[in-house]
Structures are given as structure tokens and as C-alpha cells.
Amino acid sequence: MLFSPICYNRLGIIGEGVDSLDNIKIVSENRKARHDYHIYETYEAGIALTGTEVKSLRAGKANLKDSYARIDHGELLLHQVHISPYDPGNRFNHEPLRTRKLLMHRYEINKLIGKTKEKGYTLVPLKLYFTRGMAKVELGLATGKHTYDKRQDIAERDAKRDIDRALRDRQKE
């Protein structure tokens, strides 16, 4: 039996292992990106947000559809992410589709600069979530799929579903 160390989180609550520190609350997921792109690598980046944006994210009001990340002048920027205005935010509310700065280490950004200069690679946000109270985005280094790739993926998924269904029916008998 493996020993799991006991951890204290910020509130002083005892938990086992690292999982007690990494409570992840997913705000929004870009499932369409996995359908439209081949994802080669994933990266985690922090997001620079205003107060009303954070409150709106905690309420789960975000949409990653048609969003992308780009590197401009050595900064990693997130474009076309829709974070709905916070209702009680009145005049201090944010612009829903503003460009947001992503926070990564310089060496990681330099690595991404080299990879995105290659033909066909782009950065696509896959997931928006909170971990340890911080808003994070999971970026995927991706290339676009052709229609025949999409059809092939759908056919594989259907075949797997049929096999699972047949196995389940056989077990019932």
C-alpha cells in the first residue's frame, strides 16, 4: 500500500495528496475545438481579468466558441472570448469581447512563438477553469482538420459505440 502524504490547504483543512489543493471548477469548455482541430500539445496559462469578469466567470457565464490566442509583440493574447457582463456590476462592467492578456513564463511564450511560426499551427483555448482561486485557460497547440478527418473521427466513434452496445447486450443475456 502506498503512503499518501497529508496536506493542509489554505483554510487549514486536512486532505490527502495533491488533489485536495487542486480543486478545479470548469467554467467553460470548447468541445468544438477537439472536433475541428488536431490537438498536439496543451498548455496552462493564467488570465488577467477585471473584478466583474471574475464574478461573471464564477457564475459560469463564458463562451469559448470561435476564440483563439495569438502572440503579439511577445505577449500572449486571448481574442473573441465572450464573458457576459456581471448583472450587479452597473457602470463598472467590462466589455464582453475584449482582448485579454494571458500569463505564462517567458520561456514558454518563446517556445510557443517558435511552434506557431511553423505552417498551420494555431493556439486554441480548450477549457476555462478555476484552480486554487485563480482563473486559468488550457491552450491547445493545434492544426485544422480537413472534412475527411472529421468524417473518419465520426465513423470511429460510431463503430466504438456499436461495439459497446453489442457487448452490453451480450452481457444482459
Side-chain angles (χ1 to χ4, degrees):
M1 186 167 146
L2 293 173
F3 176 73
S4 176
I6 294 176
C7 298
Y8 292 91
N9 65 11
R10 289 178 290 155
L11 302 173
I13 300 169
I14 298 174
E16 285 193 33
V18 183
D19 291 339
S20 63
L21 295 176
D22 285 340
N23 292 332
I24 293 176
K25 181 192 175 212
I26 296 174
V27 176
S28 180
E29 214 166 342
N30 192 355
R31 289 189 294 255
K32 186 87 169 144
R34 297 217 184 259
H35 178 71
D36 290 341
Y37 297 95
H38 288 289
I39 310 295
Y40 295 104
E41 294 179 31
T42 58
Y43 298 92
E44 181 181 65
I47 315 171
L49 298 170
T50 63
T52 55
E53 287 174 326
V54 174
K55 289 182 178 218
S56 190
L57 280 181
R58 287 196 189 282
K61 296 181 179 178
N63 189 355
L64 292 175
K65 187 180 176 191
D66 298 330
S67 60
Y68 62 96
R70 227 167 64 190
I71 301 171
D72 292 329
H73 307 294
E75 287 187 340
L76 192 57
L77 300 173
L78 191 61
H79 297 273
Q80 297 297 315
V81 173
H82 187 278
I83 299 177
S84 298
Y86 184 59
D87 291 335
N90 58 38
R91 64 181 179 164
F92 299 110
N93 253 328
H94 58 278
E95 188 181 325
L97 284 173
R98 78 176 183 91
T99 301
R100 294 167 179 91
K101 185 176 178 182
L102 295 179
L103 310 171
M104 286 179 89
H105 290 287
R106 171 61 48 202
Y107 70 89
E108 290 177 314
I109 294 175
N110 290 340
K111 195 162 108 175
L112 286 176
I113 288 172
K115 291 189 177 186
T116 54
K117 290 221 189 258
E118 292 179 34
K119 186 179 179 211
Y121 282 103
T122 187
L123 291 170
V124 180
L126 303 173
K127 207 185 295 184
L128 193 58
Y129 57 94
F130 281 97
T131 178
R132 297 183 188 150
M134 305 284 189
K136 306 277 184 180
V137 65
E138 184 178 291
L139 292 175
L141 186 68
T143 57
K145 279 187 185 177
H146 297 288
T147 17
Y148 57 83
D149 290 333
K150 293 178 191 176
R151 277 190 238 122
Q152 185 178 5
D153 285 349
I154 291 170
E156 287 173 7
R157 198 176 331 125
D158 289 345
K160 185 179 183 299
R161 192 179 305 127
D162 291 341
I163 291 169
D164 290 343
R165 188 178 299 130
L167 287 174
R168 224 180 351 196
D169 291 344
R170 179 180 278 176
Q171 288 176 351
K172 285 182 182 178
E173 293 174 357

